[in-house]
Amino acid sequence: MKTLKITLLFALSLILVNCGDDKKKEEKESVKIGASSSSSSSAKKSDENVTEVVLLATDMMQFDKNEIRVPAGKKVKLTLRHTGKQPVEVMGHNFVLLTMGTEIPAFGAKASAARDNDYIPEDTDAVIVHTKMIGGGQSDTIEFEAPEPGTYDFICSFPGHYSVMKGKFIVE
């Protein structure tokens, strides 16, 4: 019964969001590195040792980037900003950087059972780093060392979001 109520609340919130005449343009903060397309890219350097990344998440279950590129051996300062209005209980988002080879559907299923831990399973070695779960108008910033060169997956681990809110984190 509780699941049905949450599902109905979620569906109603999507309808209300899509019907609003007062949609604001979402700010896009991305500085391209090299010749990347508008759907990729990522980061700006505040100094030689820190790469800053701003990732936007919306009430429409979308990240503004599906690819983030960072240099190997440098610190990354990643800010996740939820540009929507929905509360964390209805449309929460986070950034979860997964280890190479992690099966996203299996991880997502495990994460959906970890509600009391911001949908991050406690007994997993699949997470390199993650932000806290945030709601509309909130943001969270994390700093971490870029992992070894390679391509990693990033997702939002809120239940059901990982199938559409995902991208590649490329360490060069």
Side-chain angles (χ1 to χ4, degrees), residues 29-34 36-37 40-47 50-55 64-65 67-71 74-79 169-170 172:
E29 289 185 17
S30 62
V31 176
K32 309 284 187 243
I33 293 179
S36 355
S37 71
S40 80
S41 161
S42 24
K44 64 181 180 179
K45 295 180 182 178
S46 64
D47 69 39
V50 179
T51 300
E52 292 186 29
V53 178
V54 176
L55 182 63
D64 72 325
K65 297 173 183 61
E67 185 178 284
I68 298 171
R69 292 179 179 270
V70 299
K74 302 290 183 184
K75 184 175 275 193
V76 177
K77 181 178 180 181
L78 183 135
T79 299
F169 189 89
I170 302 167
E172 302 175 308

Side-chain angles (χ1 to χ4, degrees), residues 5 9 13 20 36 62 70 86 95 111 127 137 160 163 171:
K5 287 181 182 177
L9 182 60
S13 67
S36 355
Q62 295 176 334
V70 299
Q86 299 296 320
F95 167 88
V127 176
S163 63
V171 182

Side-chain angles (χ1 to χ4, degrees), residues 22-160:
D22 191 26
K23 290 185 181 177
K24 293 182 181 177
K25 248 185 173 174
E26 291 178 10
E27 68 180 58
K28 298 249 181 185
E29 289 185 17
S30 62
V31 176
K32 309 284 187 243
I33 293 179
S36 355
S37 71
S38 62
S39 65
S40 80
S41 161
S42 24
K44 64 181 180 179
K45 295 180 182 178
S46 64
D47 69 39
E48 288 184 21
N49 297 318
V50 179
T51 300
E52 292 186 29
V53 178
V54 176
L55 182 63
L56 305 179
T58 71
D59 281 342
M60 301 304 296
M61 288 183 11
Q62 295 176 334
F63 285 130
D64 72 325
K65 297 173 183 61
N66 59 18
E67 185 178 284
I68 298 171
R69 292 179 179 270
V70 299
K74 302 290 183 184
K75 184 175 275 193
V76 177
K77 181 178 180 181
L78 183 135
T79 299
L80 175 65
R81 197 174 296 152
H82 192 320
T83 61
K85 296 180 180 176
Q86 299 296 320
V88 68
E89 302 83 12
V90 176
M91 190 57 64
H93 297 312
N94 63 359
F95 167 88
V96 182
L97 183 59
L98 300 171
T99 57
M100 278 194 227
T102 298
E103 293 293 325
I104 295 175
F107 177 84
K110 199 172 187 181
S112 67
R115 185 177 122 204
D116 293 339
N117 196 41
D118 277 349
Y119 300 106
I120 301 294
E122 291 184 33
D123 59 342
T124 184
D125 58 356
V127 176
I128 296 171
V129 67
H130 66 88
T131 63
K132 67 181 182 179
M133 190 66 62
I134 59 173
Q138 297 177 325
S139 66
D140 189 33
T141 300
I142 55 175
E143 291 189 29
F144 58 97
E145 296 296 322
E148 294 296 315
T151 300
Y152 302 81
D153 290 305
F154 68 87
I155 63 167
C156 171
S157 67
F158 192 88

